[in-house]
Amino acid sequence: MKATLTFLGTGTSQGVPIIGCSCAVCRSTDPRDKRFRSSALVEYGGLKILIDAGPDFRSQMLRAGVNHLDAILLTHDHRDHTGGLDDVRSLNYIDQRAAEIYCEERVLDSLKESYSYAFAEEKYPGAPEWNIHLIDSDPFFVEPPEAGRKLVWVRDKGYCHVNADGTCSPTGGNRIVNAEKVQANEAADSEGSGKGVAIIPIRGMHDQMPVLGFRFGGIAYLTDMSSIPESEFAKLQGLEHVTLNTVSYRHHHSHFSLAEAVEIAERINARHTWLTHLSHTFPTYGAFDAELRQFTEKIEIHPAFDGLKIES
C-alpha cells in the first residue's frame, strides 16, 4: 500500500530560528533552515494521518493547506508535540465531528491535566471535541471516522450532537475507547481488510520516558528517542524511508547524537534515512547535507526540512 509523508516541522522544541539567537543558522535566509516543531502528515490507504500536534499546529495546517484529518497519532506527551491540540476546534467545525486521537494511556493522563476543560462533563462552550483511542506498542488499525451523530455549533452552548428528533444535546467529556488491534502478520498488508489501515508502533525511550514511533508500510517515523529496545528492530526491516531524530553532535540524554543516529541508520539499512528534530547547533542546511555525504558509502542520509515529501 502506498504511503506519503510530508514533514510539517523538523525542528527541536524551540524551533529554528530560536528567539533571540543570532547564530548563522538562525540568521540563514535558506527556507530549509526555518523549522517548525517536529510533526508530519501521512497519507496512507486514503486516510490523512497527523503525527503530533505541537505549538505550531495551526501554522502547519495553514501552510500545508490541510482542512481535514482522519486521525492524530501522538508519540508522547511533551508540549512541543501536544501543545496545539486545542486548535483542532477548527476541524471539529469543518468536519462536524470529533477529532480521532490515538495515544498511550500515560499520554491521555497528561492530556487530562493539560486540557482538563476538554474532559469536563459540562464543557466550556467551544472546548475541543476528541475521541481518544488508547494504543500501546502492538499494531493497531486506524479506521475512517464513524458516521455517528453530527456535531453542530450552538451559540453559547458549544458543540452539540444532533438527535434523531432534531433536538441538540451538549457533548460532555470526550469518548475514550481501546483502538482495535491487529495481528503483526496482518499489519504488513491490511489493504482490503475493511477496517482501515494497520499501523505498526515502534517503542523507543526518550531518556527514561517511553515513546512511540510509527511505521506506515515502507515508511517509519521515529522522533524524540535516545535508544531503541533490541526487540523493536525486527519492525524496522525492509524500509524505503526511515526518519530519525538528532539534536547535536554531542551526547544528549534524551535524543540521539548525530553519531548515534548514523549508527542506528546503518543498522536499519533503509534505502533513505532522513534526520529530523534538528537544532541550530548543526550547520546550515546545505553545509550539513554536504557533511553527511561522508556516510553515503554505507547509507543514504540527509537532513529533512519543512515541506519535504517522501513516498513509498
Side-chain angles (χ1 to χ4, degrees), residues 265-284:
E266 290 177 346
R267 179 166 182 186
I268 294 172
N269 197 32
R271 289 189 62 187
H272 308 274
T273 298
W274 304 96
L275 300 178
T276 193
H277 214 285
L278 300 169
S279 75
H280 67 162
T281 63
F282 292 119
T284 56

Side-chain angles (χ1 to χ4, degrees), residues 183-263:
Q183 295 297 317
N185 59 357
E186 295 178 55
D189 184 13
S190 64
E191 193 168 14
S193 67
K195 300 178 181 178
V197 293
I199 309 298
I200 302 175
I202 313 297
R203 172 65 70 204
M205 297 300 296
H206 187 33
D207 195 3
Q208 300 302 308
M209 174 186 287
V211 299
L212 290 177
F214 301 100
R215 177 170 180 165
F216 311 84
I219 298 176
Y221 181 89
L222 312 181
T223 187
D224 286 54
M225 294 184 182
S226 54
S227 64
I228 301 174
E230 187 67 30
S231 60
E232 298 301 282
F233 282 94
K235 300 177 182 178
L236 296 168
Q237 300 307 302
L239 288 170
E240 179 77 13
H241 299 277
V242 66
T243 296
L244 298 172
N245 61 285
T246 181
V247 298
S248 176
Y249 291 105
R250 299 169 59 184
H251 174 74
H252 192 280
H253 69 99
S254 61
H255 289 273
F256 294 129
S257 67
L258 178 60
E260 290 166 339
V262 169
E263 182 180 353

Side-chain angles (χ1 to χ4, degrees), residues 22-150:
S22 59
C23 75
V25 174
C26 288
R27 290 185 290 107
S28 171
T29 58
D30 187 337
R32 295 173 297 183
D33 290 319
K34 310 300 182 186
R35 301 184 183 277
F36 283 143
R37 268 64 74 94
S38 291
S39 176
L41 178 68
V42 177
E43 296 173 77
Y44 187 47
L47 302 182
K48 286 191 175 183
I49 301 170
L50 179 72
I51 307 175
D52 289 335
D56 300 316
F57 170 77
R58 175 181 174 275
S59 297
Q60 290 167 334
M61 296 296 97
L62 290 171
R63 184 173 66 177
V66 176
N67 57 16
H68 167 79
L69 290 172
D70 292 292
I72 300 173
L73 312 184
L74 300 179
T75 59
H76 63 299
D77 62 318
H78 281 170
R79 294 291 285 179
D80 57 319
H81 296 262
T82 64
L85 284 172
D86 184 80
D87 283 323
V88 304
R89 292 177 296 152
S90 299
L91 299 177
N92 293 153
Y93 186 81
I94 292 170
D95 286 339
Q96 294 188 299
R97 60 172 179 77
E100 310 292 334
I101 297 177
Y102 293 72
C103 66
E104 295 191 270
E105 190 163 11
R106 59 174 305 280
V107 176
L108 171 60
D109 291 340
S110 178
L111 295 181
K112 287 180 177 179
E113 292 184 7
S114 299
Y115 298 98
S116 58
Y117 58 92
F119 295 91
E121 192 59 36
E122 295 184 12
K123 285 188 178 180
Y124 183 86
E129 296 288 342
W130 305 332
N131 288 331
I132 307 291
H133 304 258
L134 293 177
I135 60 174
D136 51 30
S137 56
D138 293 332
F140 62 94
F141 278 115
V142 167
E143 304 182 65
E146 301 174 5
R149 287 185 294 171
K150 183 170 65 173

Side-chain angles (χ1 to χ4, degrees), residues 143-180:
E143 304 182 65
E146 301 174 5
R149 287 185 294 171
K150 183 170 65 173
L151 285 179
V152 295
W153 175 258
V154 179
R155 183 180 176 84
D156 298 328
K157 291 185 178 181
Y159 291 106
C160 297
H161 287 302
V162 179
N163 302 316
D165 61 3
T167 60
C168 294
S169 302
T171 56
N174 268 313
R175 188 169 68 102
I176 300 171
V177 299
N178 290 316
E180 184 178 356

